[in-house]
Amino acid sequence: QLQLVESGGGLVQPGGSLRLSCAGSGFTFDYSAIGWFRQAPGKEREGVSCISNGGSTIYADSVKGRFTISRDNAKNTVYLQMNSLKPEDTAVYYCAARVLFGQIKCVPSWFGSWGQGTQVVVSS
């Protein structure tokens, strides 16, 4: 059974950093594209960053230069390093997976399997 488990969320001050982790099981992780998405209250879920099975990455304009996505296939884990956090980064962060080689899309509808989410609050 495919499972994705996010961790690493929490409360951080503006300008601070957090590292989110997405641990996968029950599927061929290194054949999969993994995405990070977020949803703030009253807003639609949006793509933050995605990484293909080959390591190609996509970032939302709002996080370019601040967030870094990476994967460790030996640990079946994808990370999202978030630096210079802003209050507008506050949201529930979800990871998602799709087993696919090749080019990816970083939109929610493209991914079929989701984790339960982890809350990130950026506030002083």
Side-chain angles (χ1 to χ4, degrees), residues 66-85:
R66 300 189 297 123
F67 291 10
T68 303
I69 191 171
S70 62
R71 65 190 300 157
D72 184 342
N73 289 338
K75 296 182 179 180
N76 281 9
T77 301
V78 167
Y79 304 98
L80 185 69
Q81 178 66 44
M82 305 188 296
N83 299 329
S84 302
L85 282 160

Side-chain angles (χ1 to χ4, degrees), residues 47-50 57-61 63-64 67-70 80 106:
V48 176
S49 183
C50 298
T57 57
I58 298 172
Y59 292 94
D61 287 344
V63 306
K64 282 180 181 177
F67 291 10
T68 303
I69 191 171
S70 62
L80 185 69
C106 201

Side-chain angles (χ1 to χ4, degrees), residues 8-113:
L11 172 65
V12 63
Q13 292 187 342
S17 298
L18 283 174
R19 189 177 79 158
L20 305 184
S21 299
C22 172
S25 61
F27 64 104
T28 309
F29 189 86
D30 50 349
Y31 289 179
S32 301
I34 306 292
W36 282 102
F37 298 83
R38 66 188 180 187
Q39 188 165 19
K43 295 189 176 181
E44 292 186 354
R45 192 169 297 189
E46 63 175 359
V48 176
S49 183
C50 298
I51 187 166
S52 73
N53 68 294
S56 297
T57 57
I58 298 172
Y59 292 94
D61 287 344
S62 60
V63 306
K64 282 180 181 177
R66 300 189 297 123
F67 291 10
T68 303
I69 191 171
S70 62
R71 65 190 300 157
D72 184 342
N73 289 338
K75 296 182 179 180
N76 281 9
T77 301
V78 167
Y79 304 98
L80 185 69
Q81 178 66 44
M82 305 188 296
N83 299 329
S84 302
L85 282 160
K86 304 175 181 180
E88 51 263 45
D89 295 318
T90 295
V92 178
Y93 283 70
Y94 300 89
C95 69
R98 176 169 173 170
V99 179
L100 183 77
F101 285 98
Q103 200 167 12
I104 62 173
K105 295 181 181 180
C106 201
V107 295
S109 60
W110 196 80
F111 288 83
S113 302

